[in-house]
Amino acid sequence: MENHLRIIGDIHGERNVYLDYLQGVEYTVQIGDLDLDYEFLLDVSPDNHRILAGNHDNYDQVSKFSHFLGDFGVYEVPEFGEIFFVRGGWSIDYKARPSVGTRRRKKDLWEEEELTIQQCSEAYDLYQEVKPK
């Protein structure tokens, strides 16, 4: 018998481990810190396997994949119910992490890891509205 839902967290680039966790389960939600490159997801069904980006994900890339749930909202897992989600979080290791780009135009990969105040307010309002089980 196949399991219905598996919650996965903090893979940190261990792609084969992540792919192994998809075996024998109909739906998964990966709750942050998956990887910095998501091309390996092209063979993974976004209808069944979703991603909530965390504070160690590449926000320039993850939103290009339909697996990404978004910043916050409600995801309904068939035959399970609704899950309210909020992505991101502040990282205490931010000083130790690399930036990308040229010396003149450096970009911190993690500058978007936290929601803005406006997004937090919107997430709170949505939660109050839907109050999922």
Side-chain angles (χ1 to χ4, degrees):
M1 178 178 200
E2 191 170 89
N3 291 318
H4 192 71
L5 174 65
R6 179 172 291 154
I7 306 296
I8 306 167
D10 294 274
I11 293 296
H12 290 283
E14 297 290 334
R15 296 172 186 170
N16 289 333
V17 172
Y18 172 75
L19 295 172
D20 285 346
Y21 283 151
L22 304 185
Q23 302 305 308
V25 64
E26 191 169 359
Y27 296 94
T28 65
V29 177
Q30 206 287 329
I31 56 170
D33 303 350
L34 178 59
D35 208 325
L36 299 178
D37 181 8
Y38 307 94
E39 293 292 323
F40 75 98
L41 293 174
L42 294 175
D43 294 328
V44 174
S45 168
D47 294 331
N48 297 69
H49 306 289
R50 305 305 301 266
I51 298 167
L52 178 61
N55 58 340
H56 293 114
D57 280 296
N58 183 345
Y59 285 95
D60 285 345
Q61 296 296 317
V62 73
S63 60
K64 296 176 184 176
F65 291 83
S66 55
H67 303 78
F68 181 53
L69 286 169
D71 295 329
F72 61 88
V74 178
Y75 170 55
E76 185 164 353
V77 179
E79 299 178 41
F80 178 82
E82 295 178 336
I83 297 171
F84 191 85
F85 63 89
V86 179
R87 68 129 180 106
W90 182 72
S91 298
I92 61 172
D93 64 343
Y94 72 97
K95 289 183 180 181
R97 292 185 278 147
S99 298
V100 295
T102 65
R103 234 173 79 178
R104 294 178 70 198
R105 278 194 82 181
K106 274 215 181 266
K107 175 174 173 43
D108 181 352
L109 280 177
W110 293 272
E111 67 186 20
E112 298 175 54
E113 70 184 9
E114 290 184 285
L115 297 180
T116 65
I117 298 293
Q118 179 67 35
Q119 288 171 313
C120 286
S121 179
E122 291 170 9
Y124 177 80
D125 290 345
L126 179 61
Y127 182 83
Q128 291 298 318
E129 179 185 325
V130 298
K131 293 186 181 176
K133 295 179 182 171

